[in-house]
Every structure is written in structure tokens, then in C-alpha cells.
Amino acid sequence: MKSLCSISALCASALMGSAIAAPVELFFDDFELETEGPNRVPTKWTVQRGAVEIIGPGYFGPPAFDICAESTHCVDLDGSTGFAGLMVSRDTFVLTAGATFTLTFDYSENGYGGGPVNTVTYGVGGFTDTVSTTTPAPLGDYFEATLTFTGDGSVGSIFFDHEGGDFFGLSVDNIRLTGDFGGGSPVPVPAAAFLMAPAALLVRRRKK
């Protein structure tokens, strides 16, 4: 019996350690509570250039145009002004040095119209990647993008920067940011950190 108790204690300890080390969800948005329409700004975001629009059943949404990733709402990053959007999360995040962060989202192409190529640079702070389409994607085709990186102690927001502008772009949905702190906790964001994010993005754009 003593042996069984020892084994149980070890198992419980291992399970607790696994739970502590599990990634922490820092951000999630599926846009399901948003009101669809052209040139609208989602609640958890700002639009710092151009325009985006919220796709839904009443505005180019399913079932007429199946461009949201298995849901009823998503965001087309190229709105209806002729200038594609730069969408930035209102939340900012301390990218703790040594922690592993993962940004994932679903994306598809607004196949209703537009040019043959849509390109979006996305990321968190200074950590970036790009997704694009080379030909119009069939309606109902969804893809998942993943960006995994090791934090460097900087502070940053999630952003999506759509190039060009022809009224129909890539749509994004189910945006999630997680952090694996190896048993530690996320570092609180400094009170003034949100003021730093737009400036950082402008610097990034000037370097292109």
C-alpha cells in the first residue's frame, strides 16, 4: 500500500507539473458577437490604416458566400474603401524572454471578387510572418496559419497588415495567442504599453 501511495503521489505531482506547464491562452477572437457590415472596426481591435469589414450572414456571409472558417462571422482585411487594412489588437502583450508564444488563425479568400493575389503580413510585435494566395481560392477552402516564436522581453500587439487594396481580401477568423511560460506566469502589461504599439508598427512599415 505504501508503494501505491508513493506512486500515486508521483503521478499527482507529474500531472500538476503538466498542468502548470501547459500553454496559457492570452487572447482569442472569433468575431461571433460582432455586427456585420462594410468598414466596421471589430471590438477588440483598432484599424490604423485603410479599412476592414466584418463578414456575416447579412453581409457577404454564409450561405451565399462561404468565406468564414466554419463560423458565421469573420473579418475581411481589405475593406470597401480601396485601401486594405492594418488591424491591430487593443491588447498588448509582454513577450517574456525565453517563453514560447504561438499565434494561430484561420484564413480564407473572399472569392466574391478582387485580384488574383492577396498578401497579409501578420505577427505579434516584431515577430512576423506572411500568408498569401497566388490564385483565387475556391469558396469554402480554409487554411490555418501558425507563428511560433521565443519571447525576447519586448511588448507588442497582434497585427494583420494587408497589402494592396481591391475591396476583396483575405478573411481571418479564430485568432488565438498562447504562451508557454514553463511553469511561470504571464508578465502584466505596463500601463502605457498600448501607446508603444502603433509607433513600433510604423517603424516596421518604414523598413519595408
Side-chain angles (χ1 to χ4, degrees), residues 153-179:
S154 61
V155 177
S157 297
I158 303 169
F159 70 90
F160 293 87
D161 188 356
H162 201 303
E163 296 181 9
D166 56 15
F167 304 106
F168 303 99
L170 290 184
S171 63
V172 292
D173 201 2
N174 301 319
I175 300 166
R176 176 179 278 105
L177 176 67
T178 62

Side-chain angles (χ1 to χ4, degrees), residues 117-176:
V117 178
N118 286 294
T119 300
V120 175
T121 300
Y122 68 94
V124 187
F127 299 92
T128 70
D129 204 348
T130 302
V131 293
S132 63
T133 58
T134 55
T135 57
L139 295 174
D141 278 10
Y142 312 119
F143 309 93
E144 182 179 279
T146 301
L147 172 63
T148 300
F149 59 92
T150 301
D152 60 359
S154 61
V155 177
S157 297
I158 303 169
F159 70 90
F160 293 87
D161 188 356
H162 201 303
E163 296 181 9
D166 56 15
F167 304 106
F168 303 99
L170 290 184
S171 63
V172 292
D173 201 2
N174 301 319
I175 300 166
R176 176 179 278 105

Side-chain angles (χ1 to χ4, degrees), residues 46-126:
T46 64
V47 176
Q48 299 189 358
R49 187 206 67 239
V52 305
E53 53 196 14
I54 300 172
I55 305 298
Y59 186 71
F60 293 128
F65 297 104
D66 191 10
I67 60 178
C68 294
E70 300 180 355
S71 64
T72 59
H73 290 82
C74 58
V75 168
D76 185 336
L77 293 170
D78 192 349
S80 298
T81 64
F83 299 95
L86 167 59
M87 188 172 78
V88 182
S89 66
R90 293 183 182 275
D91 288 349
T92 56
F93 308 92
V94 174
L95 306 176
T96 306
T100 301
F101 296 88
T102 302
L103 175 66
T104 61
F105 61 94
D106 298 320
Y107 69 97
S108 59
E109 184 173 3
N110 186 339
Y112 177 74
V117 178
N118 286 294
T119 300
V120 175
T121 300
Y122 68 94
V124 187

Side-chain angles (χ1 to χ4, degrees), residues 14-26 99-102 177-186:
L15 288 172
M16 288 177 64
S18 298
I20 291 172
V24 177
E25 183 173 278
L26 304 174
T100 301
F101 296 88
T102 302
L177 176 67
T178 62
D180 188 339
F181 300 92
S185 301

